[in-house]
Amino acid sequence: MIHCLFSQMGNISINPSPQKVNLSSLNIFTISLHGLVSSIGIIENLLILGVVGFHVRRSVISIWILNLAASDLLATSSLPIFTLYMARGNTWTLGPTFCRIHSSIFFLNMFVSGFLLAAISLDRCLVVVRPVWAQNNRNPELVKKICGGIWVLAALCTIPFYIYRGTIHLPDGKILCYYDYARALLPSEPFDLKALCKHRKEGLAFMKLFLAFLIPLLIIILSYSAVNATLVRRGYQRSFRFVRLVVAVVVTFVLCWAPYHFFIIMEVMAPSGSPLQKHASKALPISATIGFLNSIINPILYVFSCPDLCKKIRHSLGAVMESVLAEDLMELARGDLEVGVSGTDGVLLQAQQSLRVKH
């Protein structure tokens, strides 16, 4: 099978003995940090799904939060697999199918997060700019349909990344889980492999840049700008919490995803084998990790900034602890009762035996 090896050469670090993995202190720190971040993200999003899903009345806001938390949970759940990949010396050992699935989860979260953040911003904008329309048409059923459409659209955008992802066995013994633009949908007539791979690589890179980053970012900025202008025009005083939330959302989205898209475009546009391309290839794994951080920061921005929801979370955790303690106390009381009954039975048995002796 032919491969677009020229597009992966920037990511290959030759290791003469890949079976023996020697991790530096920096690598160990990075792997530990990955494990810690994934654990926090999984617990955080599970907590939000449990509280919002079972203890909060279904509303437009709760549906947005549930879908955002589901996407973030999906992304953070895949982080331990990436941590395992790093711990094994950047060698993929879980097979080609799981390689495509694991990579697709990352891209699915990228698209869903961007689309959801843009939709939430538009929703906030309509509530302020078109309050009458929002009052008459904005309802949980409509938001459920929009969220369903977002997941379908994101899945369709992820299909090319699933198709062109695969495992590539290198001469040094390593196995890459990376793009292989020549693995499917090849032309029937003679073609230039290098040019075909370059066109596909550029197409997917700019598709991610526009659909998952630039367009959602533009919608977010325009929506909150319209909200701000409307509030100023009507003479309403903006709350400090609202301004802080808007700034945090925009800054976090840019800081988490801009490095990844920047290095992707740099790798695509730089000449093959150039120092610039090699630098971009080395920086891509780190920038992808930074992108994962968005899945951990999002719940803090959208959920924990709401005092009422924080109270519900604390109340739910308190209820769980009370339930566990109550069960432990019941078990303890049941054990004491059994011990007391057995002790009483022993006393009665001794009395019966002494009566028999006397008679």
Side-chain angles (χ1 to χ4, degrees), residues 215-238:
I215 294 178
L217 180 61
L218 182 63
I219 293 174
I220 291 171
I221 293 175
L222 291 178
S223 297
Y224 286 123
S225 298
V227 170
N228 181 69
T230 303
L231 293 177
V232 171
R233 187 174 63 252
R234 294 175 183 173
Y236 294 143
Q237 186 177 4
R238 292 158 295 173

Side-chain angles (χ1 to χ4, degrees), residues 31-186:
I31 293 170
S32 302
L33 185 62
H34 266 267
L36 178 63
V37 167
S38 63
S39 301
I40 293 174
I42 291 172
I43 294 172
E44 186 182 59
N45 286 290
L46 277 176
L47 180 63
I48 292 169
L49 285 174
V51 174
V52 178
F54 296 101
H55 298 282
V56 176
R57 182 180 59 86
R58 284 292 176 272
S59 63
V60 171
I61 296 298
S62 67
I63 293 172
W64 288 129
I65 291 175
L66 279 174
N67 281 271
L68 194 62
S71 173
D72 292 337
L73 177 62
L74 193 64
T76 52
S77 298
S78 67
L79 259 180
I81 307 299
F82 188 68
T83 306
L84 177 65
Y85 169 76
M86 295 174 61
R88 290 181 175 176
N90 295 329
T91 298
W92 186 264
T93 58
L94 301 177
T97 301
F98 198 72
C99 164
R100 290 191 288 271
I101 293 174
H102 175 264
S103 301
S104 299
I105 290 174
F106 173 78
F107 295 116
L108 179 66
N109 170 258
M110 177 191 298
F111 287 112
V112 171
S113 294
F115 297 162
L116 278 176
L117 292 177
I120 292 172
S121 303
L122 278 175
D123 178 60
R124 297 288 87 199
C125 179
L126 289 173
V127 169
V128 175
V129 178
R130 295 286 184 269
V132 177
W133 183 93
Q135 181 68 27
N136 295 330
N137 299 279
R138 183 174 171 269
N139 57 74
E141 294 302 321
L142 176 62
V143 175
K144 287 179 183 178
K145 294 178 181 178
I146 294 174
C147 290
I150 286 175
W151 280 94
V152 171
L153 179 60
L156 291 176
C157 293
T158 307
I159 289 176
F161 300 95
Y162 179 86
I163 293 175
Y164 295 119
R165 202 75 172 187
T167 55
I168 301 175
H169 295 259
L170 302 180
D172 63 354
K174 283 191 174 184
I175 303 175
L176 290 179
C177 177
Y178 199 63
Y179 295 105
D180 184 8
Y181 302 102
R183 69 175 303 273
L185 304 177
L186 296 176

Side-chain angles (χ1 to χ4, degrees), residues 7 151 195 245 302 350-351:
S7 63
W151 280 94
L245 178 62
Y302 280 90
Q350 289 179 359

Side-chain angles (χ1 to χ4, degrees), residues 6-7 10-11 178 181 198 201-202 204-206 208-209 257-285 287:
F6 76 94
S7 63
N11 289 318
Y178 199 63
Y181 302 102
K198 189 174 189 300
K201 182 178 182 180
E202 292 175 351
L204 291 184
F206 282 100
K208 285 186 291 186
L209 175 66
W257 286 114
Y260 174 79
H261 292 287
F262 174 77
F263 288 117
I264 281 287
I265 298 301
M266 181 188 293
E267 187 195 32
V268 168
M269 301 307 295
S272 179
S274 65
L276 192 62
Q277 187 188 50
K278 293 179 179 179
H279 174 71
S281 300
K282 291 179 181 179
L284 272 176
S287 60

